[in-house]
């Protein structure tokens, strides 16, 4: 049975009205029925129980855990597709510029419009995600952006504005996923298991980004037309959206609902703004978004221009253009994403043995170290592309190490019934101050420098490099914000824990029935 207000989160009536068997203390799951701890009066004698029923009891919690792990896996695959679609455009950016005849600022506008619509839609989906059926919202979002992306592959060269508009609509669809999916994982798991599952989910960001470059460049080479690169992710998106509808459970929102009614949206926002750990970590996340948005959009083109200056390749004046740099950058992004998430999770686990402020401190060290290597990229690219790739490898690994940790920090300092709103607000601010403007800003600065210099391959390379030098300074600022987060992290985590009555809602017998994470 499924109720209109999913997860037992309706404002009217008891959550037991929506859960079959809740009246007699049972909880329905995908794998069957799980009953609470029985008293001595309820227990049957050993003679009355069959051997088969005894053997099936341990299998129910095990099957339920497997269902949760499978759900987290499907959600992670969906996250891969979101970022694959987002960066497929960057993988064929040079071809798009040649086809539509746009400059650097026009090309940067594609990503900026996407992010602007994304950040505007994120708070709306955060509100809906805290109140309605989350997996239905996720699936509808995937179906929507898949249809728009597929349609955009048929736009003719006279209608560049229509391609820009389509990227904006895609941003609306993807906002639903990035806002709501982490909160489902946060409600399915706790503590170290939650950290692990969120690490897998956020590893999908660099993996999907890298696959976007690889897909864009490879499909274009095979098909001989960059438009075919935009037709891969929609097909996979439709399949994933269907899997989410079928296999992802409707997980109960946290385990604090039984203590108090859901607070209003304005009260949630007021509490989040007063949460200093949340505010500083959100500002730090904005700097990460600024750097990843700008570097992800422009680095392949920058390295291509570097090789033109070094006379290693010929300049591309008409398509199809070389996509070798996009392919290499995509592979590096996939590998560094994996290493970054593993390194960040491992370093945090080890540092937690030394200090309780390990999470924000590990993020701060990663940011400051990344800034050094990003600076070295622009020095090395003038003489050696190989050295530049090595610096990119090290810088991205350190930069990607904080993604899963930042999401886990949010789960620690924000109560469960506010998490979707918190993720949405953090997404909004990080995009508003980060990658909503950084791709266009870098392109605008590059064009501005070129207008005041002689038009030549050398100045095309130097102007883009000077514009990208803004990124390491922003990354250093992010490291400072993470250090500020460390000052208030323990206090804010303690406040959130005081409102959570159950330490592990997935261990049978550790919580009451209304605190169990039921799967309808």
């Amino acid at each position: 049975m499924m109720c209109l207000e999913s997860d037992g989160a309706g404002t009217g009536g008891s959550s037991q009205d929506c859960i079959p068997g809740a009246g007699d203390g049972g909880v329905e799951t995908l794998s069957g029925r799980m009953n609470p701890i029985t008293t001595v009066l309820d227990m049957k004698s050993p003679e009355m129980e069959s051997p088969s029923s005894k053997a099936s009891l341990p299998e129910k919690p095990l099957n339920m855990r497997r269902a949760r792990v499978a759900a987290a896996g499907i959600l992670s695959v969906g996250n891969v597709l979101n970022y694959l679609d987002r960066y497929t455009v960057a993988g064929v950016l040079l071809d798009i510029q040649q086809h539509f005849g746009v400059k650097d600022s026009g090309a940067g506008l594609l990503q900026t419009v996407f992010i602007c619509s994304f950040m505007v839609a994120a708070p709306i989906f955060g509100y809906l995600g805290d109140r309605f059926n989350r997996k239905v919202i996720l699936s509808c979002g995937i179906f929507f952006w898949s249809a728009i992306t597929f349609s955009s592959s048929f736009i003719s060269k006279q209608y560049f504005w229509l391609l820009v508009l389509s990227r904006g609509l895609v941003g609306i669809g993807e906002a639903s996923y990035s806002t709501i999916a982490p909160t489902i994982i946060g409600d399915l798991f706790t503590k170290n298991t939650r950290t692990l599952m969120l690490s897998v989910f956020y590893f999908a960001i660099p993996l999907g980004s890298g696959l976007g470059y690889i897909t864009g460049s490879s499909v274009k080479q095979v098909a001989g037309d960059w438009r075919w690169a935009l037709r891969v992710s929609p097909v996979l998106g439709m399949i994933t959206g269907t899997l989410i509808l079928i296999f992802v459970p409707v997980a109960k929102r946290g385990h604090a609902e039984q203590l108090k009614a859901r607070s209003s949206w304005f009260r949630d926002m007021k509490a989040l703004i007063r949460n200093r750990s949340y505010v500083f970590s959100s500002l730090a996340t904005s700097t990460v978004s600024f750097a990843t948005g700008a570097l992800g959009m422009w680095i392949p083109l920058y390295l291509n221009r570097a090789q033109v200056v070094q006379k290693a390749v010929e300049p591309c004046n008409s398509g199809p253009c070389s996509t070798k740099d996009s392919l290499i950058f995509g592979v590096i992004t996939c590998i560094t994403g994996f290493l970054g998430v593993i390194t960040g999770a491992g370093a945090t686990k080890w540092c937690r043995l030394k200090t309780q402020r390990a999470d924000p401190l590990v993020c701060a060290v990663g940011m400051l170290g990344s800034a050094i290597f990003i600076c070295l990229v622009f020095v090395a690219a003038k003489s050696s592309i190989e050295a530049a790739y090595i610096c990119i490898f090290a810088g991205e690994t350190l930069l990607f190490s904080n993604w899963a940790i930042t999401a886990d920090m949010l789960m620690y300092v924000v109560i469960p019934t506010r998490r979707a709103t918190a993720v949405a607000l953090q997404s909004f601010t990080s995009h508003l101050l980060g990658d909503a403007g950084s791709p266009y800003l870098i392109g605008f600065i590059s064009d501005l420098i070129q207008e005041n210099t002689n038009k030549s391959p050398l100045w095309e390379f130097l102007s883009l490099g000077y514009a990208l030098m803004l990124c390491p300074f922003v990354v250093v600022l992010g490291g400072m914000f993470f250090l500020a987060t460390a000052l208030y992290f323990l206090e804010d985590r303690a406040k959130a824990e005081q409102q959570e009555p159950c330490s592990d809602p997935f261990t049978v017998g550790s919580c009451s029935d209304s605190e169990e994470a039921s799967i309808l």
Side-chain angles (χ1 to χ4, degrees), residues 407-470:
D408 202 27
M409 281 194 293
L410 185 148
M411 300 297 172
Y412 277 118
V413 300
V414 177
I415 62 174
T417 53
R418 290 186 183 132
R419 283 175 183 164
T421 300
V423 172
L425 180 60
Q426 187 175 83
S427 178
F428 177 84
T429 56
S430 65
H431 290 307
L432 176 65
L433 303 176
D435 53 356
S438 64
Y440 178 77
L441 179 63
I442 298 302
F444 177 78
I445 294 174
S446 176
D447 283 347
L448 193 63
I449 295 173
Q450 290 183 54
E451 289 174 1
N452 293 279
T453 58
N454 296 325
K455 182 175 177 58
S456 66
L458 176 61
W459 274 108
E460 286 182 354
F461 163 68
L462 291 177
S463 63
L464 187 55
Y466 291 148
L468 286 169
M469 278 296 294
L470 182 62

Side-chain angles (χ1 to χ4, degrees), residues 305-471:
R305 291 180 179 180
Q307 293 176 79
V308 170
V309 171
Q310 297 170 19
K311 300 188 184 303
V313 299
E314 293 294 326
C316 180
N317 297 317
S318 61
C321 301
S322 173
T323 55
K324 183 186 71 172
D325 295 294
S326 294
L327 182 63
I328 296 174
F329 185 72
V331 172
I332 289 177
T333 302
C334 290
I335 297 174
T336 55
F338 175 75
L339 292 178
V341 169
I342 295 298
T343 301
T348 303
K349 184 177 181 180
W350 181 80
C351 290
R352 281 173 181 170
L353 302 176
K354 310 294 182 180
T355 174
Q356 292 183 323
R357 304 179 194 270
D359 298 62
L361 291 177
V362 169
C363 291
V365 172
M367 292 286 282
L368 296 176
S370 176
I372 297 174
F373 286 101
I374 293 174
C375 280
L376 293 176
V377 170
F378 308 112
V379 177
K382 295 178 180 180
S383 57
S384 174
I385 295 298
E386 292 76 12
Y389 277 127
I390 292 174
C391 294
I392 291 172
F393 189 95
E396 282 196 338
T397 300
L398 293 171
L399 191 63
F400 293 157
S401 66
N402 66 65
W403 267 336
I405 306 172
T406 304
D408 202 27
M409 281 194 293
L410 185 148
M411 300 297 172
Y412 277 118
V413 300
V414 177
I415 62 174
T417 53
R418 290 186 183 132
R419 283 175 183 164
T421 300
V423 172
L425 180 60
Q426 187 175 83
S427 178
F428 177 84
T429 56
S430 65
H431 290 307
L432 176 65
L433 303 176
D435 53 356
S438 64
Y440 178 77
L441 179 63
I442 298 302
F444 177 78
I445 294 174
S446 176
D447 283 347
L448 193 63
I449 295 173
Q450 290 183 54
E451 289 174 1
N452 293 279
T453 58
N454 296 325
K455 182 175 177 58
S456 66
L458 176 61
W459 274 108
E460 286 182 354
F461 163 68
L462 291 177
S463 63
L464 187 55
Y466 291 148
L468 286 169
M469 278 296 294
L470 182 62
C471 294

Side-chain angles (χ1 to χ4, degrees), residues 118 166 174 203 231-232 378 449 460 473 517:
F118 183 101
S166 69
E174 292 191 14
F203 165 60
R231 298 167 186 169
V232 176
F378 308 112
I449 295 173
E460 286 182 354
F473 293 99

Side-chain angles (χ1 to χ4, degrees), residues 97-126:
Q97 282 187 288
Q98 294 295 335
H99 181 77
F100 290 99
V102 295
K103 297 181 179 180
D104 288 350
S105 56
L109 193 63
L110 289 172
Q111 187 74 350
T112 293
V113 169
F114 171 91
I115 295 299
C116 286
S117 63
F118 183 101
M119 71 180 186
V120 170
I124 299 174
F125 285 114

Side-chain angles (χ1 to χ4, degrees), residues 490-503:
L490 296 182
E491 177 186 346
D492 293 328
R493 185 177 69 176
K495 290 179 182 178
E497 288 176 347
Q498 288 174 1
Q499 302 181 60
E500 295 190 39
C502 174
S503 61

Side-chain angles (χ1 to χ4, degrees), residues 258-314:
Q258 65 171 4
L259 298 181
K260 61 180 181 179
R262 184 180 305 281
S263 58
S264 67
W265 184 82
F266 292 102
R267 184 175 178 182
D268 289 345
M269 296 296 289
K270 184 177 179 180
L272 291 174
I273 293 173
R274 289 182 174 180
N275 189 325
R276 289 172 292 188
S277 296
Y278 173 77
V279 170
F280 281 119
S281 63
S282 296
L283 291 174
T285 304
S286 300
T287 64
V288 177
S289 295
F290 185 98
T292 55
L295 296 173
M297 190 73 175
W298 292 113
I299 280 293
L301 183 59
Y302 173 74
L303 295 178
N304 178 267
R305 291 180 179 180
Q307 293 176 79
V308 170
V309 171
Q310 297 170 19
K311 300 188 184 303
V313 299
E314 293 294 326

Side-chain angles (χ1 to χ4, degrees), residues 105-295:
S105 56
L109 193 63
L110 289 172
Q111 187 74 350
T112 293
V113 169
F114 171 91
I115 295 299
C116 286
S117 63
F118 183 101
M119 71 180 186
V120 170
I124 299 174
F125 285 114
Y127 177 87
L128 297 175
D130 276 337
R131 289 158 178 83
F132 300 100
N133 192 312
R134 290 179 287 187
K135 75 173 186 176
V136 172
I137 298 174
L138 289 182
S139 298
C140 290
I142 290 181
F143 293 147
F144 180 76
W145 72 249
S146 296
I148 296 297
T149 298
F150 187 82
S151 301
S152 68
S153 67
F154 298 97
I155 297 174
S156 61
K157 63 174 63 177
Q158 294 87 0
Y159 299 99
F160 179 71
W161 64 269
L162 194 56
L163 180 63
V164 174
L165 176 62
S166 69
R167 296 311 296 172
L169 295 176
V170 170
I172 295 175
E174 292 191 14
S176 65
Y177 200 92
S178 298
T179 301
I180 297 174
T183 67
I184 297 180
I185 295 178
D187 289 336
L188 289 174
F189 304 95
T190 58
K191 296 185 177 180
N192 288 333
T193 305
R194 183 176 66 196
T195 302
L196 175 62
M197 293 302 171
L198 285 174
S199 296
V200 173
F201 180 82
Y202 282 99
F203 165 60
I205 296 178
L207 176 62
S209 302
L211 290 177
Y213 292 105
I214 295 171
T215 301
S217 58
S218 301
V219 172
K220 192 213 76 169
Q221 290 285 15
V222 173
D225 189 345
W226 64 269
R227 294 182 184 86
W228 281 97
L230 300 181
R231 298 167 186 169
V232 176
S233 57
V235 176
L236 299 176
M238 291 291 184
I239 296 173
T240 304
T242 304
L243 292 176
I244 289 174
L245 278 177
I246 298 174
F247 294 107
V248 172
V250 181
K252 190 174 181 181
R253 291 176 178 86
H255 35 275
E257 286 93 334
Q258 65 171 4
L259 298 181
K260 61 180 181 179
R262 184 180 305 281
S263 58
S264 67
W265 184 82
F266 292 102
R267 184 175 178 182
D268 289 345
M269 296 296 289
K270 184 177 179 180
L272 291 174
I273 293 173
R274 289 182 174 180
N275 189 325
R276 289 172 292 188
S277 296
Y278 173 77
V279 170
F280 281 119
S281 63
S282 296
L283 291 174
T285 304
S286 300
T287 64
V288 177
S289 295
F290 185 98
T292 55
L295 296 173

